[in-house]
Amino acid sequence: MGMTSTASVPPDDEDLQRDIERAWASLLPRADAIADDITLTLLAKDWLDVAGPELRADIRSSTREHIHRGIRTMAGLAQDGERAIHVWRETGRRRARQGVRMEHVLNAYSLGTRVLWEALLTQRGHPDHDFDDRVLLIAGQRIWAALDVQNATLVESYRRESARLQSQDLRRQQRLLDGLVEGRGADPVFAAEAREVLVIRTDEPVACVVAHFDGMLDGPIRGAEDRLERLGLTSYWHVRGDIYFGLVATGAAGVEGVVRALRPAVAGRAGVAASPDGLAGFATAYRLAAGAADTVSSGTPEVVPVTDRLPEVLLRASPEATAVLVEQTVSPILAQPPHQAAVLLETLRALIAHHGSPTHAAEQLFCHRNTVIYRMRQIEQLTGRSLHDPRDRLLLTLGEMAAPAPVGAGSAASSGGQGTG
């Protein structure tokens, strides 16, 4: 809708140059009418049906400015400060800020060029002007050639502004995610800003995903945002130290759906926890998800919901209480020679898994039932706990989970009585 002066006029043909400029200048009295014709056509486009009154008014005034500056530029009347290229740049920046799609802006420029060219053609044979076909042809060549320059200028300006806005939005999102992890989601003012920027409803269920980098350069979860988006789930991701974490609006998929979606993409240790209280409880969900991720063995690519690792998370949450628990349960077993300790611990795991049944434990361990009974008596004598007492069995379960592996022990529980029976 505005032009530059490139051309197919011989440099020494000043008369032709003046005629071309006079042809464009002849449109100045009609500039507003031409601009309004373009505006009416633009406002009939589908994409403007949802535009607010401010954008529609801006398009009207912007179109008039484009046409006036464009005609004055082509007529050789524009000063340096009012050349059309300046308004193209500003329009690119403004439309990016308004969220207008680039293709719509480029289509508007094509429409403006066509309408302006058609308006120039109506000057042919006008009684007050005497423009021959050569003048109009070269003027037309210029305006269509200028469209490429317009588009290139606008696209560059639009993309620069979009990148700046995206960078601003990203920094703001990351600031909000940091604040949520720090517990600021309970602050109504902060939570309101987070909901607005992250587009999350007050009652929308959310979850936290935490994954450890563990020295991985490519990240512990590959393409998490894309995978969740395929399920219609919105997510936001951030890096905090050696932790990669995300806020996910879980919708109907729930934590289980998030875990299923991320499982093929996980390259490291990851945990997921729901936040029943929405943004207000996100800091708690972060800690629980981090605790779940910590229960995954280093070097193992796995994502686990905290609900699958509650005992392990509880034990890790209180190292002091866990140390007392180990001391009061399996410490005497750990004090045995490494091979014997490993056999007794594996037998204990099998007995716990089968509710204290020696018969079923023997089937799992591929050894005789009497061997398992003998080992069970050893366990009970060493620990002072009974596998038939529910509370003792619970304590032994937690103690075995928290116990370190005996140093130098192999797997020998299934060796049919070696070492302990």
Side-chain angles (χ1 to χ4, degrees):
M1 284 182 279
M3 295 78 223
T4 67
S5 259
T6 64
S8 49
V9 177
D12 58 343
D13 197 336
E14 295 181 2
D15 291 340
L16 180 57
Q17 177 63 34
R18 281 195 296 271
D19 286 342
I20 293 172
E21 291 176 349
R22 281 194 310 107
W24 285 115
S26 71
L27 293 179
L28 279 173
R30 298 171 51 199
D32 285 347
I34 294 169
D36 290 344
D37 284 344
I38 296 170
T39 298
L40 288 174
T41 304
L42 286 175
L43 294 179
K45 300 291 185 182
D46 292 341
W47 63 273
L48 270 172
D49 287 346
V50 295
E54 291 184 2
L55 177 57
R56 297 168 77 90
D58 181 69
I59 288 174
R60 289 189 182 95
S61 63
S62 175
T63 303
R64 284 195 171 195
E65 183 179 12
H66 274 77
I67 293 303
H68 274 277
R69 288 206 187 190
I71 292 174
R72 287 181 60 81
T73 297
M74 297 298 285
L77 302 174
Q79 302 298 317
D80 286 344
E82 64 167 339
R83 292 180 67 81
I85 194 168
H86 302 309
V87 77
W88 302 340
R89 291 196 182 104
E90 175 54 30
T91 299
R93 289 191 289 267
R94 191 162 68 249
R95 293 295 179 259
R97 290 193 294 270
Q98 292 166 334
V100 179
R101 290 169 59 180
M102 186 189 297
E103 65 184 82
H104 294 320
V105 185
L106 296 178
N107 288 340
Y109 270 67
S110 296
L111 171 67
T113 298
R114 177 173 60 80
V115 173
L116 198 53
W117 166 234
E118 290 172 352
L120 185 63
L121 289 179
T122 62
Q123 302 298 79
R124 184 184 195 181
H126 193 283
D128 297 333
H129 309 293
D130 186 19
F131 304 127
D132 60 29
D133 288 345
R134 186 185 180 201
V135 168
L136 297 177
L137 176 62
I138 295 175
Q141 289 173 344
R142 285 185 175 184
I143 191 174
W144 286 108
L147 180 61
D148 291 336
V149 180
Q150 287 178 346
N151 288 348
T153 302
L154 182 132
V155 166
E156 180 185 10
S157 176
Y158 186 103
R159 286 177 173 165
R160 285 180 181 274
E161 184 67 10
S162 294
R164 188 186 67 81
L165 293 172
Q166 287 174 2
S167 178
Q168 276 188 345
D169 289 345
L170 183 60
R171 286 196 297 270
R172 192 178 183 191
Q173 288 174 11
Q174 292 175 344
R175 175 180 63 81
L176 292 170
L177 289 172
D178 278 330
L180 291 172
V181 166
E182 293 162 4
R184 296 184 63 193
D187 176 355
V189 175
F190 184 89
E193 181 188 5
R195 283 193 294 271
E196 178 185 355
V197 173
L198 304 178
V199 196
I200 293 176
R201 300 189 310 273
T202 303
D203 59 345
E204 191 163 9
V206 299
C208 181
V209 180
V210 169
H212 292 280
F213 274 96
D214 288 339
M216 287 180 288
L217 298 178
D218 293 337
I221 305 179
R222 317 286 166 75
E225 191 170 358
D226 291 341
R227 287 182 173 275
L228 293 171
E229 189 174 344
R230 291 172 204 160
L231 297 178
L233 305 182
T234 301
S235 64
Y236 301 92
W237 298 85
H238 189 26
V239 175
R240 190 177 176 87
D242 193 41
I243 294 293
Y244 180 61
F245 77 94
L247 181 152
V248 183
T250 56
V255 168
E256 297 80 6
V258 172
V259 171
R260 283 196 301 271
L262 296 181
R263 186 166 285 132
V266 169
R269 300 179 293 148
V272 185
S275 175
D277 298 329
L279 297 184
F282 187 77
T284 300
Y286 175 88
R287 290 192 294 272
L288 291 172
D294 286 340
T295 68
V296 179
S297 300
S298 183
T300 302
E302 186 176 2
V303 55
V304 294
V306 68
T307 49
D308 285 1
R309 299 293 177 95
L310 284 175
E312 293 89 342
V313 171
L314 287 170
L315 291 170
R316 286 175 173 271
S318 178
E320 298 84 359
T322 301
V324 173
L325 173 68
V326 171
E327 178 65 31
Q328 293 295 309
T329 55
V330 297
S331 180
I333 296 176
L334 296 173
Q336 303 304 304
H339 176 79
Q340 184 176 355
V343 169
L344 290 177
L345 285 176
E346 192 165 359
T347 302
L348 176 59
R349 282 192 290 271
L351 286 165
I352 291 170
H354 297 287
H355 310 289
S357 167
T359 302
H360 293 100
E363 292 175 358
Q364 176 181 323
L365 297 171
F366 300 102
C367 63
H368 198 278
R369 178 177 181 275
N370 290 340
T371 301
V372 174
I373 292 174
Y374 176 73
R375 294 175 186 169
M376 183 171 68
R377 288 174 183 164
Q378 284 186 297
I379 292 169
E380 291 179 335
Q381 288 173 359
L382 287 168
T383 63
R385 306 281 179 182
S386 171
L387 281 161
H388 296 293
D389 181 275
R391 182 178 177 81
D392 281 353
R393 191 164 62 246
L394 172 61
L395 290 172
L396 286 169
T397 300
L398 295 174
E400 185 279 322
M401 291 176 64
V407 178
S411 179
S414 61
S415 57
Q418 294 180 19
T420 56

